Amino acid sequence: MEKYDYIICGAGLAGLSLAYRLCDSAFSDKRILLIEKEEKTKNDRTFCHWSTTRGPYEDIVSKQWSQLQFKSLSVDKIFDIHPYQYKMIRGDDFYAFNLKKIKESAHISIVKEQIVDIQEGEPCVVRTDKNSYAGNHIFKTYPKSGIDFSKAQYVSQHFMGWVIRTQEDSFSENQATFMDFNIPQKGETRFMYVLPTDKKTALVELAIFSNAILSRREYETILKNYVEENLSILNYSIEEKEQGIIPMTSYDFGKHDTKHISHIGTASGAVKPSSGYAFSRVQEQTDLIADLIKQGRSLNKSQSLFKSKYKRYDRTFLNAILTNKTNGEQVFSLMFSKLSPQLIFKFLDEKTSLTEELKLFTAPPTLPFLRAFIAEI
Ligand SMILES: Cc1cc2nc3c(=O)[nH]c(=O)nc-3n(C[C@H](O)[C@H](O)[C@H](O)COP(=O)(O)OP(=O)(O)OC[C@H]3O[C@@H](n4cnc5c(N)ncnc54)[C@H](O)[C@@H]3O)c2cc1C
């Protein structure tokens, strides 16, 4: 059995972000293996995130916007988000960029195999459909199947997006629509976003918070109606499509970690429960792990990133939405009418001070949130 210091199971966002950091020459005395079952060449998702700084993936940011629009029945505002930029990275660019770097690093190997079992031990053993590998520490980036979410707050964020190309100039390319709630809500939280990459091309995406997943036809009908009726675009072609379901949940993923097996990415709760964003949290998480390895410290601290105070806020939000005390349109409309996007981003990044949080708590519908907060306590 080949032996490694670290085995990364899964080469999606979290696995590749960690491997990218471990390509650094500071880790050249380590043997690292990355195991992934798929080719990772398709543009199967688009990673958007806000940031005030340049990150390791700046060279593959395909488009960024300094102006964002928020729209609902009661609010229609365009915000200048300086010093933030809202950035877009295509999935296929992200995979290619990382895989190139990994292939250039002699101390990291990658194999295309399907993992069938991971056993804790000294060393741990990872069995795939073709081989078995021994590793001192394992980073697992996909959740175990059949997790019982029934004791946690849980709602799926499910979405479908089209990259459309129009015949005439249809978009203002320096401005993206962050959220547009002007579609039938059907008793759920439903919004669209529009991310133009030039005057004729944009990613138009539908996102829904609910546990009732739609059929492909239903998503397509909503997208088509939005493009034709809300955006008034009739002549267009669909160039690319993406679709997905991600968990928004208060579930304690940390309990699956063992002494030598750490979960990262979605499997660790890195998808922010109140927003569904994961990209920036995964970058922070993999920075932290690389630092812990450099310092020779315990690796079971990757959960410490998600602070309990914000977990409580997220649970309150999920409770308020899931028990219909309020709905996403009302919450986000009030937040974007009363607060700056800079403060909202800082809060979602879990970096606000108590004074800023007090300001934030006056924005959402007070009574439903108070009741949800008490219910969560
Ligand atoms: C369509 C879509 C759009 C999104 N857009 C955004 C966005 O704009 N901004 C944002 O912040 N987040 C976004 N997300 C959420 C989140 O960033 C992504 O889901 C992200 O890919 C999660 O990273 P991950 O590493 O946890 O999981 P993944 O990227 O799914 O990686 C897990 C990897 O493990 C592999 N794997 C699974 N099982 C095995 C096995 N048995 N053996 C070997 N390999 C295995 C999979 O093939 C996969 O490559 C989006 C998600 C989707 C689906």
Side-chain angles (χ1 to χ4, degrees), residues 9-15 35-38 40 44-49 86 95 113-116 141-142 159 193 205 242-246 264-267 271 276-280 282:
C9 301
L13 172 64
I35 309 175
E36 167 58 51
K37 65 182 167 82
E38 288 173 8
K40 305 307 280 185
D44 59 354
R45 61 201 65 195
T46 311
F47 298 113
C48 289
H49 59 287
Y86 194 61
Y95 303 139
E113 294 173 19
Q114 167 131 10
I115 298 159
V116 291
T141 73
Y142 55 91
F159 38 90
Y193 50 89
E205 190 134 342
E242 69 174 36
Q243 188 171 5
I245 305 176
I246 50 175
I264 58 171
T266 311
V271 173
Y277 281 88
F279 186 85
S280 301
V282 165

Side-chain angles (χ1 to χ4, degrees), residues 1 14 23 40 67 71-72 75 77 123-124 152 165 183 193 196 202-203 278 280 290 299 308 319 362 364 370:
M1 228 190 316
C23 286
K40 305 307 280 185
Q67 286 196 327
K71 284 168 100 173
S72 69
V75 187
K77 269 182 155 179
C124 300
R165 182 142 183 89
I183 54 171
Y193 50 89
L203 170 64
S280 301
L299 290 173
S308 55
N319 181 301
T362 59
L370 197 61

